[in-house]
Amino acid sequence: MAAVAARRKDEWLALFTPDAVVEDPVGPSRLDPAGQGHRGHEGIGRFWDRNFGSVSRFEFRIRDSFANGPCCANIAAITMWLAGGATITVDCVVIYTVDGDERITSIRALWEPERAMSTLTRP
């Protein structure tokens, strides 16, 4: 979260294993029409460029967290400031899985795009 909030793409990508998968959101959506996730550093990097490139600021609020073994599930609200000052908030459950070296092997974010769009504010 710190690398995302600071908009440090390379630092964020370095947290992932070479074969990691990001599903954000899980399932088919405008962000991933096939619902297969974004794979490897190249795919995850493209995901960053398409979805985080226009975000000027992030605020992460973790409401609760449940960790066991290599997995952690966070109940969160993520507010993003977009170009021109608009904001959008995504209420979500994000499940992280790590390997033995504590590098991320998968992120599965469960959220509803229509619900997030209903929070869109204009300056």
Side-chain angles (χ1 to χ4, degrees), residues 2-75:
V4 173
R7 302 185 38 79
R8 294 190 298 257
K9 176 183 173 182
D10 290 339
E11 184 179 320
W12 185 66
L13 287 173
L15 299 172
F16 292 89
T17 61
D19 59 346
V21 178
V22 171
E23 297 175 84
D24 186 356
V26 171
S29 71
R30 277 185 46 216
L31 304 179
D32 180 13
Q36 296 178 0
H38 310 278
R39 298 177 180 279
H41 288 187
E42 187 175 315
I44 295 168
R46 280 192 306 271
F47 169 78
W48 173 288
D49 293 340
R50 284 193 299 250
N51 299 292
F52 297 166
S54 65
V55 178
S56 63
R57 181 175 153 215
F58 293 87
E59 179 181 278
F60 295 91
R61 292 182 309 275
I62 307 301
R63 295 186 176 129
D64 212 340
S65 188
F66 303 90
N68 190 32
C71 296
C72 180
N74 291 327
I75 299 172

